[in-house]
Amino acid sequence: DGVMMPVAELYMRYILPARYDDVLTIKTIIKQLPSRKMTFFTEIYNQHHQLINTGHTTLLFISKQYNRICSPPAPLMQVIKSYFP
């Protein structure tokens, strides 16, 4: 839909190491309905259900045509709105 989503911010906090052959569970949460940016909060757990990593990544909606911050595409918003009260 003519929109790019470059990473504007990335934060990670390593709590415990992941080992070779560990089975990891990655949980990603969107806490707010996006406006001109979208933040994904992430938690990573090992097979023992121990939290080993947390973080968040913020992406911006950028118009390909104007190379400026813009609103998210309507089709994306239609899908995402159904997950928010």
Side-chain angles (χ1 to χ4, degrees):
D1 287 334
V3 175
M4 301 181 291
M5 292 184 71
V7 174
E9 178 180 290
L10 172 67
Y11 170 81
M12 295 183 88
R13 180 173 157 246
Y14 296 96
I15 301 165
L16 294 170
R19 308 261 189 236
Y20 187 76
D21 284 339
D22 277 356
V23 176
L24 303 178
T25 300
I26 302 170
K27 181 178 178 182
T28 303
I29 305 159
I30 302 170
K31 296 180 181 179
Q32 288 183 292
L33 194 61
S35 55
R36 293 175 178 246
K37 64 183 179 180
M38 188 171 192
T39 301
F40 298 91
F41 295 88
T42 306
E43 298 173 348
I44 303 176
Y45 297 87
N46 64 17
Q47 68 271 18
H48 306 292
H49 307 288
Q50 294 172 300
L51 180 64
I52 65 170
N53 182 288
T54 62
H56 67 268
T57 306
T58 301
L59 288 79
L60 300 175
F61 292 97
I62 304 288
S63 165
K64 285 183 180 180
Q65 182 178 2
Y66 301 109
N67 202 31
R68 301 185 78 111
I69 294 175
C70 64
S71 298
L76 174 66
M77 291 305 293
Q78 287 175 334
V79 172
I80 290 178
K81 280 183 181 179
S82 65
Y83 293 97
F84 290 88

